[in-house]
Amino acid sequence: MLKNQDLQAVLEEINEEVQPLLSEGTVADYIPELAKVKQDKFGIHLLTLDDRSYSVGDCDERFSIQSISKVFMLAMAVGECRQNVYDRVNVEPSGDPFNSLVQLEYEQGIPRNPFINAGALVITDILLSNFPNARNEFIQYVNSLAGLKSINYNNAVAASEKKCGFKNAAMVNLMKSFGNIDNSVEDVLDLYFDFCSVEMSCQELAKAFRVFANHGKGLVDTRRYLTESQYKRIAAIMQTCGFYDEAGEFAFKVGLPGKSGVGGGIAAILPNEYSVVVWSPGLNEKGNSLAGMKALELFTTKTQTSIF
Ligand code: GLN
């Protein structure tokens, strides 16, 4: 539980401590449009369930949420579609990079989990089959989670990824050959790149993730986005699979369910207490924000909070 301490001062201390790390790491450039982001950006936003918020740095600047979007995709598929999503995607950590193809062939086209690319591509296929206009409905869903209206896709980022998304194309093709993709390869890829291109600030992501910290119940509205059991499962997958082949390290150092993206964002929750989002574009070799991981490690250490 959050103690009665000066949380603004905690965030400011963290901001100072991570400054030397901002020049380390590498901004993702395999999606050319992402390489334009300045490496020295850093922001944290903390939002509690009892409506206190604290921020530091560039926490109001929107960035490309990339794989953080996979949590929204899964929540929408599980909460809004009638089919059983977990028949088509497993829930085991992969221990491999987010864009790895190796397990897919010998596991017959069933991805290890929904938070690696292969898994999110299957979820995209499910959303495409279940909604007449999945692109519009998804962005409305994300806006609704955050209690906002202005969150949108970045078409330049999606187009930039489409031009060089060869591994994602390979995954969809392989899964289609095993019968685990219903729609056309092209349609699934286009929608997946759009989903990854959503732009949000730390503050906006914290609002959306606070719904997960609140067991899937809306705070701005009274909507129940997820049942208790659906929420529990998604939080468990964030805990075990949210950081690709660094999920163990994140649990060890930070101890919160969360999800990273190659845009340098990390969103995490302490159920019943808070959501916290950090952004720093320099990535470590596993594709997770280098200073962002450190900032969250410092945060849970200084506040003595974690799920354990
Ligand atoms: N759009 C990115 C990709 O498919 C998302 C990867 C990530 O954020 N880890 O490669």
Side-chain angles (χ1 to χ4, degrees), residues 13-14 29 41 62 75 84 95 108 153 157 165-166 181 193-194 214 220 231 235 244 259 292 294 300 307:
E13 266 172 47
I14 295 171
D29 58 3
K41 297 283 176 186
R62 286 184 173 166
N84 184 3
Q108 274 82 47
Y153 301 110
V157 170
F166 305 115
I181 293 288
F193 295 143
D194 281 338
N214 196 35
V220 181
Y231 144 74
Y244 324 111
K259 184 74 201 82
K294 185 67 190 174
T300 53
I307 61 163

Side-chain angles (χ1 to χ4, degrees), residues 74-83 85-86 141 212 215-216 224-238:
L74 179 63
M76 187 169 164
V78 163
E80 312 286 313
C81 304
R82 285 215 195 99
Q83 84 192 77
V85 168
Y86 300 112
Y141 181 83
F212 301 120
H215 294 227
R224 231 213 189 279
Y225 290 86
L226 300 166
T227 65
E228 191 62 37
S229 157
Q230 289 167 343
Y231 144 74
K232 179 203 73 183
R233 290 171 162 197
I234 292 178
I237 304 170
M238 283 201 255

Side-chain angles (χ1 to χ4, degrees), residues 20 28 42 70 72 120 128 195 216 218:
F42 178 80
K70 292 177 169 122
F72 302 141
L128 200 50
F195 287 168

